[in-house]
Amino acid sequence: MRSGVIAQKVGMTRIFTEAGEHVPVTVLRLANCQVIGHRTKDKNGYVALQLGAGARKASRLTRAERNNFAIAKVEPKRKVAEFRVDENALIPVGAEITADHFIVGQFVDVTGTSIGKGYAGGMKRWNFGGLRASHGVSISHRSIGSTGGRQDPGRTFKNKKMPGQMGVDRVTTLNLRVVQTDVERGLILVQGAVPGAKGGWIMVRDAIKKALPKEAPQPGKFRVAASPAEASPPAQGA
């Protein structure tokens, strides 16, 4: 099992195939998605990668958070998430995962926070039919009706579908096909809609209900930052 990535939703557009058919796609951008920590079975009881994406001011972090980023030697991240992986799929700390981590044609599962709709009634929130338009019903046409019994059970059960806050839920959409990737700009184009508003953070991982293509890189596609000694030019001899 490979690691997923943290991406930022840019918006929707469409691309055209060679046959002239248009495919609606959602554009996801990898905002410097780096590995900031490992979770091992000996120390934590499970194996996972901790990833971070985006940028954040160090002054907005707690001392413990700043210490974690300092240990990993990466810039502070705005979004942090963990992905369960196999022991042989660990990626080095500090490595940046690139867009070609996913290949064109494979299926992915995306998780995001849905757009908030505010306080909504039962008809909008749960698709209730409402009461009758006539025959004694007045004023309360869009009410939800009875919410519980009288003597038996004498109470309203938990999780009863009622009016309330709609949206702002963790939503996972399964089996979206990767249509195109752009490594230079860090873009992943997936077919269809992705939950969340523009600018929202999206977790993308390999589909659990579809087989992973054999061409998919193992443990993933990433680039490792060069060390200061490698980045500086060699000293000239006297």
Side-chain angles (χ1 to χ4, degrees):
M1 184 167 57
R2 303 192 312 160
S3 171
V5 299
I6 305 173
Q8 194 170 21
K9 182 176 178 179
V10 178
M12 290 197 69
T13 183
R14 62 177 178 174
I15 61 175
F16 291 89
T17 63
E18 296 180 355
E21 299 175 347
H22 84 275
V23 180
V25 296
T26 302
V27 182
L28 304 176
R29 181 174 64 90
L30 296 183
N32 195 18
C33 182
Q34 289 182 281
V35 181
I36 61 177
H38 289 168
R39 298 293 181 262
T40 60
K41 186 164 292 186
D42 295 336
K43 185 176 180 180
N44 307 103
Y46 64 98
V47 181
L49 283 178
Q50 188 179 39
L51 304 184
R56 195 176 185 186
K57 293 182 179 179
S59 60
R60 300 300 180 95
L61 301 175
T62 63
R63 183 178 298 178
E65 290 173 333
R66 290 198 298 267
N67 186 49
N68 290 336
F69 290 117
I71 293 175
K73 297 181 181 179
V74 298
E75 295 294 328
K77 303 297 182 181
R78 178 167 293 276
K79 180 66 176 180
V80 177
E82 285 189 5
F83 293 91
R84 295 288 186 100
V85 297
D86 296 329
E87 293 186 356
N88 56 355
L90 290 174
I91 298 175
V93 175
E96 179 184 354
I97 301 180
T98 55
D100 51 353
H101 181 77
F102 302 104
I103 64 174
V104 175
Q106 84 163 96
F107 292 89
V108 295
D109 298 339
V110 296
T111 302
T113 302
S114 62
I115 298 176
K117 306 293 185 180
Y119 192 92
M123 293 182 67
K124 180 177 180 180
R125 191 183 186 198
W126 303 112
N127 199 27
F128 285 174
L131 303 188
R132 302 182 70 176
S134 63
H135 291 274
V137 177
S138 61
I139 303 177
S140 56
H141 300 286
R142 297 181 63 87
S143 67
I144 63 174
S146 175
T147 59
R150 191 175 180 182
Q151 269 192 317
D152 184 19
R155 62 188 175 89
T156 301
F157 289 114
K158 290 183 178 181
N159 302 321
K160 172 68 178 177
K161 293 180 179 179
M162 299 180 70
Q165 292 294 328
M166 181 179 177
V168 198
D169 293 321
R170 182 183 173 92
V171 179
T172 299
T173 304
L174 304 179
N175 303 332
L176 297 182
R177 185 170 61 90
V178 177
V179 178
Q180 188 176 331
T181 59
D182 189 334
V183 180
E184 294 182 359
R185 295 188 292 175
L187 301 180
I188 303 173
L189 278 63
V190 297
Q191 183 176 357
V194 169
K198 294 180 181 178
W201 295 103
I202 307 294
M203 267 65 77
V204 188
R205 66 177 188 273
D206 298 330
I208 60 175
K209 294 185 178 180
K210 297 283 187 179
L212 182 66
K214 297 180 180 179
E215 297 81 9
Q218 296 287 350
K221 203 71 173 181
F222 56 91
R223 64 170 69 100
V224 180
S227 62
E230 297 175 353
S232 58
Q236 299 294 332

